[in-house]
Amino acid sequence: MPKAPRSAAKPAASADAEPDVSAAAKPATARAAKPAAAPKAPPTKPARSEPKAPTRPKAKPAAGRAMKPAAVPKAKPAPAVTGAAFGDDWWKRGVVYQVYPRSFADSNDDGVGDLPGLIAKLDYLNDGTEKSLGIDAIWLSPIHPSPGFDVGYDVADYDAIDPLFGTLDDFDRLVAEAHRRGIRIMLDLVMNHTSSAHRWFEESRRDRSGPYGDWYLWRDGVPDRFGRVGKPNNWTSFFGGSAWTWDEVRGQFYMHTFLPEQPDVNWRNPAVREAMLTMVRGWLERGVDGFRLDVFNAFFKDEQLLSNPRRFRGRRPYDRQVHLYDKDRPELAGFLEEFRALVDSFPERMTVGELFSGDPALAPKLSAPRHLVFDFELIRTHWDAESFADASEKHEERFGAGAWPTIVLSNHDQSRQASRLAPDADAETSDEVARAAGVLALTMRGTPFLYYGEEIGARDVPVPWSEIIDPPAKRGGRLVRRLVPWWNRDQARSPMPWGGGGPNGGFSTARPWLRMAPDVDTRNVAAEDADPGSVLATYRKLLWLRRRHPALQVGSYRRLRGTSHDVYAFERATPGESIIVAVNFGAKETPLRVRTGRRWTVLFDTHERATTDLVGDDHLTLEPHEAIILVAG
């Protein structure tokens, strides 16, 4: 296992009435050479009473001066994107494929995916022919050095590549090889917080008056009537417990929206903004085509750190507050203008923001051309025609014609779509639903974001308690987990099964960092590549079909009513093309009538029916879970 970046001593967590994940947090497995039960958590200091105000010791600043921020990595000339299907409007017309690097492709058989492994699979993603998947961009989940307490979302060095995944030279080669195939590369930017092992935090905690003293949200406690030091306010961590942790070295509390090992930075400090924007410029100069902004609406907190109002519903402590002062602050607009101006100064770049636990209505308000915001309405929708239609209508009402939405049915934090939409289905039904869901994901109005493995109909993989890595899923033991439920995100992060006869589904000869799906011998890329009726074959056809039809890329949206209650149908149209998409969500046959008076031709369907023309009120019978695409003309 390569050494993690030098880390700060772990801050002692304070005792809380509510369960805190700090005792359960642990770094993710790095290189698993033997059967990988989840790694043991590092020893932590036991919770203790906080110091009384009159006797709280002052931290003595450490000797030596603070280190300067690391220089941005020297950029090599960024190779141009060649052979891409789309130009400057790729952010709108193209399809983004999310890769979870640990789980995608392992080149050196250590049980963990890496950048050379991804490079070796680029032709699978897009080699310019319809034998490949046909995606337009790759979004990489974090690849920076990290202790792994939140599996990479605790960054210790923004300017480097974690040795777990490779080197900067490997990254440069990835960009060059992807661009040569017309594929753009997007990085995951985690800028709300850093790792507690980041040198900024190390310097900030040891010297209040030093250059980094105000780079994080540090506050004195508030004495109560008994002389005990209480927390600065009532904010709670999304992962459980208080959002404030006492640090012995500095003698103050610091704020963390997530784990104590993920301290939030102070975005009101101009030096922090300058350092972050300098880092962003460095990656743009290195050839990065876009960024996904992690929890970007949480960057700014109330300047006075006022306590949040309470509310009397929600099982988790975080849900029992109105998050008025710890996110969604008005200062975000000014930063976004500055950040987006920097990104826009480089041609053909884009960003997409993750709206953290916020009102979906904020998504269009924070969107702009080339700068998208995830709206997770669809990711919470069950497999039901009316539910999908209603979610889509809300989606369209919020964004209207002036803003551009995203289409997201799954990601690294949520259940895989086949498991979520068909939870108790057998393999055949699961694949039917997976194919139909693929049609929806690639034909609704908005930029599709596909999570790796969905193209083979992958399902969630149950992970035994002893192997859980996801920190909040492990919090407080089994009893607390029953009282404060948290879905284990490990289940949606299992390694990609490539097949081909090798062990572990062809992912690695070593024991993978997470367990493989139980059906890897039959559900894998090699097996589905040879099957023209597979989920993979469906996705390939759909992705290349979408490239050929502008109406599916940028066309208007109109729901078609008057169909069966099990059918969701809509029209996508441009001035030169009209396309109808219809999906039977039911388990029985149902008729589809098209009352337009126009001639329609079956362009694609998931059940491989012979091409048929419909005229006026003619109808088709849709099979269970069948999805069909019709084109006028």
Side-chain angles (χ1 to χ4, degrees):
M1 174 178 174
K3 286 186 177 180
R6 60 195 181 91
S7 65
K10 183 179 177 185
S14 326
D16 291 301
E18 294 160 349
D20 194 329
V21 300
S22 59
K26 59 188 176 180
T29 310
R31 297 187 183 275
K34 57 183 180 180
K40 293 182 179 179
T44 61
K45 294 182 181 179
R48 57 174 186 79
S49 301
E50 274 136 21
K52 295 186 177 182
T55 60
R56 176 168 59 84
K58 298 291 182 181
K60 184 178 179 180
R65 57 192 179 87
M67 294 163 46
K68 293 181 179 179
V72 176
K74 186 177 180 181
K76 297 180 180 179
V81 179
T82 58
F86 311 112
D88 187 54
D89 58 353
W90 70 271
W91 60 274
K92 195 172 190 179
R93 293 179 180 268
V95 176
V96 180
Y97 184 89
Q98 182 188 358
V99 166
Y100 197 73
R102 292 172 186 266
S103 293
F104 193 65
D106 178 13
S107 70
N108 59 354
D109 287 323
D110 64 355
V112 182
D114 48 47
L115 296 183
L118 171 56
I119 293 169
K121 300 298 184 183
L122 288 176
D123 281 343
Y124 162 78
L125 296 174
N126 193 343
D127 67 0
T129 74
E130 296 189 27
K131 293 181 180 180
S132 61
L133 195 57
I135 55 92
D136 301 286
I138 296 170
W139 151 28
L140 290 169
S141 290
I143 55 174
H144 304 298
S146 165
F149 284 97
D150 194 18
V151 203
Y153 283 87
D154 47 329
V155 176
D157 186 349
Y158 289 108
D159 297 324
I161 302 297
D162 195 321
L164 187 67
F165 302 124
T167 65
L168 276 171
D169 285 341
D170 291 327
F171 180 79
D172 290 338
R173 188 160 62 92
L174 170 63
V175 172
E177 291 297 322
H179 283 186
R180 187 167 64 82
R181 293 166 173 81
I183 301 173
R184 270 87 174 189
I185 296 294
M186 299 174 60
L187 288 183
D188 211 324
L189 282 185
V190 186
M191 299 193 294
N192 174 73
H193 50 268
T194 70
S195 165
S196 57
H198 198 293
R199 67 180 178 280
W200 296 349
F201 187 73
E202 290 179 342
E203 295 298 326
S204 186
R205 72 194 294 254
R206 77 188 184 104
D207 189 353
R208 294 192 189 195
S209 59
Y212 297 94
D214 193 33
W215 281 46
Y216 294 83
L217 297 174
W218 295 98
R219 290 296 185 274
D220 292 325
V222 179
D224 63 17
R225 59 179 179 171
F226 301 107
R228 297 174 301 191
V229 175
K231 305 205 171 49
N233 61 30
N234 70 346
W235 294 355
T236 55
S237 162
F238 186 72
F239 285 167
S242 173
W244 296 94
T245 289
W246 176 260
D247 182 66
E248 289 284 3
V249 174
R250 176 144 167 162
Q252 283 186 305
F253 288 97
Y254 65 90
M255 188 264 172
H256 49 91
T257 299
F258 300 100
L259 296 173
E261 293 83 6
Q262 296 170 287
D264 285 27
V265 300
N266 178 14
W267 274 97
R268 296 180 183 278
N269 185 334
V272 171
R273 290 172 70 151
E274 182 182 357
M276 290 292 195
L277 292 175
T278 298
M279 174 269 295
V280 169
R281 177 180 290 278
W283 288 111
L284 289 168
E285 290 174 347
R286 207 165 195 104
V288 170
D289 301 285
F291 301 100
R292 178 256 192 190
L293 301 182
D294 186 64
V295 299
F296 79 120
N297 60 314
F299 285 5
F300 287 87
K301 283 75 176 175
D302 177 65
E303 192 166 15
Q304 299 179 45
L305 302 181
L306 298 176
S307 287
N308 284 323
R310 298 184 182 276
R311 62 180 178 182
F312 300 100
R313 67 177 186 272
R315 292 184 66 181
R316 298 185 308 148
Y318 188 85
D319 298 330
R320 294 197 292 271
Q321 289 187 0
V322 179
H323 292 276
L324 188 62
Y325 296 112
D326 54 353
K327 64 184 183 69
D328 298 326
R329 304 306 299 164
E331 294 86 352
L332 177 64
F335 165 72
L336 288 180
E337 183 177 353
E338 185 179 6
F339 170 78
R340 290 169 175 176
L342 170 59
V343 174
D344 290 344
S345 68
F346 291 76
E348 298 187 8
R349 304 307 209 265
M350 65 88 74
T351 68
V352 59
E354 179 196 23
L355 195 62
F356 168 60
S357 188
D359 179 1
L362 287 175
K365 296 176 183 177
L366 295 173
S367 299
R370 291 186 297 282
H371 302 288
L372 307 174
V373 176
F374 285 132
D375 172 0
F376 294 127
E377 186 79 39
L378 292 170
I379 212 169
R380 304 184 184 100
T381 304
H382 299 293
W383 189 247
D384 174 81
E386 279 302 315
S387 296
F388 256 82
D390 290 346
S392 301
E393 291 291 285
K394 293 176 183 177
H395 199 72
E396 288 295 320
E397 288 172 7
R398 281 196 289 267
F399 282 86
W404 192 250
T406 61
I407 304 298
V408 184
L409 296 185
S410 60
N411 62 26
H412 62 290
D413 285 333
Q414 304 292 333
S415 181
R416 287 194 173 276
Q417 58 196 43
S419 292
R420 179 173 61 85
L421 300 175
D424 302 315
D426 57 27
E428 182 180 357
T429 303
S430 178
D431 283 356
E432 288 178 353
V433 172
R435 285 190 287 267
V439 171
L440 289 168
L442 293 168
T443 60
M444 298 175 72
R445 191 176 79 94
T447 301
F449 285 76
L450 301 181
Y451 188 46
Y452 83 99
E454 299 296 2
E455 74 271 23
I456 62 170
R459 296 179 65 86
D460 294 339
V461 178
V463 177
W465 178 266
S466 62
E467 295 179 22
I468 289 177
I469 289 174
D470 186 23
K474 199 76 170 174
R475 63 182 172 188
R478 292 178 173 84
L479 176 60
V480 172
R481 192 181 179 193
R482 292 191 186 99
L483 298 174
V484 188
W486 180 275
W487 186 79
N488 178 18
R489 298 174 298 176
D490 294 343
Q491 298 174 89
R493 299 172 178 180
S494 60
M496 183 77 162
W498 295 101
N504 298 311
F507 174 74
S508 179
T509 58
R511 179 71 177 266
W513 77 287
L514 277 177
R515 61 169 48 203
M516 303 293 299
D519 59 354
V520 293
D521 291 337
T522 55
R523 188 181 299 282
N524 61 65
V525 172
E528 296 200 20
D529 184 54
D531 179 3
S534 67
V535 179
L536 177 59
T538 295
Y539 267 86
R540 283 174 174 162
K541 292 173 187 175
L542 282 168
L543 281 156
W544 288 95
L545 180 73
R546 190 179 188 279
R547 284 187 168 213
R548 293 192 293 269
H549 291 275
L552 294 178
Q553 302 159 20
V554 295
S556 62
Y557 166 92
R558 179 173 68 94
R559 181 182 175 185
L560 300 179
R561 301 181 182 273
T563 61
S564 161
H565 69 278
D566 281 332
V567 174
Y568 169 40
F570 55 90
E571 182 181 17
R572 300 291 310 280
T574 59
E577 184 177 48
S578 293
I579 287 178
I580 285 177
V581 179
V583 178
N584 178 12
F585 284 72
K588 298 180 180 179
E589 292 182 352
T590 190
L592 169 67
R593 292 187 180 274
V594 182
R595 299 181 175 89
T596 64
R598 303 174 68 180
R599 180 178 295 277
W600 296 88
T601 300
V602 177
L603 189 62
F604 171 87
D605 88 289
T606 56
H607 285 50
E608 299 182 340
R609 68 171 67 235
T611 300
T612 306
D613 289 346
L614 295 99
V615 180
D617 289 344
D618 285 356
H619 70 272
L620 290 174
T621 298
L622 294 179
E623 298 294 324
H625 307 132
E626 182 178 5
I628 193 167
I629 302 175
L630 309 172
V631 63

